[in-house]
Amino acid sequence: MKLNTLVIVFLVLMLLLFLDIFSKNSIANSIHTILYKSSTPIYSSKRNLEKLFEKEKITLNVTLFKDTTTNALEVLSEDSKGIYVLNLKKKGIVVDATTGELIGFVEKTGNVGYAIKWWEKEFPVTIESIESTNEATQTLKESTDTQAYEMYTKKTVGYYSNYRIDLPDPNIKINGKVYISEYIPYGRLLKNNNISIGEYSNGIFRIKIPTIPKYVVLLEDYTINDGSNNSNGGK
């Protein structure tokens, strides 16, 4: 009897797995949504009970990118795709409250919000390297050779997906740091503060996955529609 039950359970699980694959993970996403919505009131009740016994409240204020001071948000937990953040009320990106490193993109807002880790997303990137050229010049009087170096910045665009970078032209040769595109909100801000997501060298992307911190800062979403946003704080 027990063996028959185990066989039936196994067959049902396999059926759900195949249906989920052919439906492009719609079943898994539905289960995730149901569990997320059902767990939110339970967590809120837990927090309310904790507040009743709290003797003092602690607010962590941080300053990033020479900007105004803002409140840090507590990271509650994480799963394979993202992190759960307390009081994540608006869309945008979340960064490490200490280092400013990009952590993820806000997917769901609320008392308990959800942000997808950036390495689980797909988005355009900018690859930038600092290179130099040199020209040999000869001083006639002293008959000695000197080298004149000229530094310049080389850029190209690409697309990040599944832990790799795809370039529009495979013949492009470039080695440098990889930043999220300047056309993504706060892309220029992160680049100006030298916050990259990895390095691209000889056709290989060396990804730099950050450690999930205890606190993050929300950079609220905005729409890039003219030059004023791009010049405001490096956004």
Side-chain angles (χ1 to χ4, degrees):
M1 185 66 180
K2 291 183 178 180
L3 180 60
N4 292 337
T5 303
L6 290 175
V7 171
I8 293 173
V9 171
F10 176 76
L11 292 176
V12 171
L13 290 176
M14 291 300 296
L15 177 61
L16 290 174
L17 176 62
F18 283 114
L19 289 175
D20 187 54
I21 293 174
F22 288 113
S23 62
K24 297 182 179 180
N25 297 329
S26 62
I27 295 178
N29 291 332
S30 299
I31 294 174
H32 178 272
T33 301
I34 293 171
L35 292 176
Y36 173 81
K37 290 183 177 180
S38 61
S39 63
T40 299
I42 297 175
Y43 179 79
S44 298
S45 300
K46 173 179 174 291
R47 291 291 296 179
N48 290 332
L49 286 174
E50 290 176 346
K51 288 179 180 179
L52 290 176
F53 298 98
E54 281 182 354
K55 294 183 178 180
E56 59 181 18
K57 295 182 179 180
I58 299 175
T59 301
L60 180 63
N61 295 322
V62 297
T63 302
L64 286 176
F65 314 126
K66 299 179 181 179
D67 204 350
T68 55
T69 301
T70 184
N71 293 336
L73 305 176
E74 182 183 357
V75 177
L76 301 174
S77 62
E78 67 170 303
D79 57 25
S80 61
K81 296 291 184 180
I83 59 175
Y84 295 89
V85 182
L86 182 64
N87 293 326
L88 190 59
K89 298 296 182 68
K90 296 183 179 181
K91 291 278 190 174
I93 65 173
V94 289
V95 299
D96 189 312
T98 303
T99 65
E101 287 185 292
L102 177 64
I103 301 299
F105 299 88
V106 177
E107 182 75 9
K108 297 178 181 178
T109 60
N111 292 331
V112 179
Y114 186 76
I116 295 182
K117 299 170 182 175
W118 68 257
W119 51 98
E120 299 295 340
K121 294 277 286 183
E122 298 181 359
F123 49 85
V125 297
T126 299
I127 305 173
E128 181 176 295
S129 66
I130 306 297
E131 301 187 7
S132 64
T133 59
N134 65 82
E135 298 178 355
T137 59
Q138 187 176 40
T139 304
L140 297 178
K141 292 182 179 179
E142 299 178 358
S143 298
T144 59
D145 291 334
T146 60
Q147 298 289 330
Y149 294 93
E150 181 181 353
M151 307 299 293
Y152 68 96
T153 300
K154 183 178 180 181
K155 289 184 182 180
T156 189
V157 297
Y159 196 80
Y160 170 80
S161 175
N162 295 324
Y163 300 89
R164 58 175 294 173
I165 299 291
D166 292 319
L167 301 182
D169 184 355
N171 296 319
I172 295 177
K173 303 297 181 183
I174 187 171
N175 299 321
K177 290 187 176 182
V178 181
Y179 304 91
I180 66 172
S181 172
E182 297 178 7
Y183 297 100
I184 295 178
Y186 299 102
R188 181 170 294 184
L189 175 68
L190 296 178
K191 176 180 170 296
N192 288 345
N193 285 274
N194 198 31
I195 298 175
S196 66
I197 61 172
E199 293 189 4
Y200 187 83
S201 178
N202 298 321
I204 299 174
F205 176 48
R206 294 178 174 83
I207 192 171
K208 184 171 67 175
I209 296 178
T211 302
I212 300 300
K214 292 183 178 180
Y215 296 94
V216 294
V217 169
L218 169 67
L219 301 180
E220 296 179 18
D221 208 352
Y222 65 90
T223 302
I224 300 178
N225 52 17
D226 54 36
S228 60
N229 279 336
N230 288 336
S231 61
N232 183 16
K235 293 181 181 178

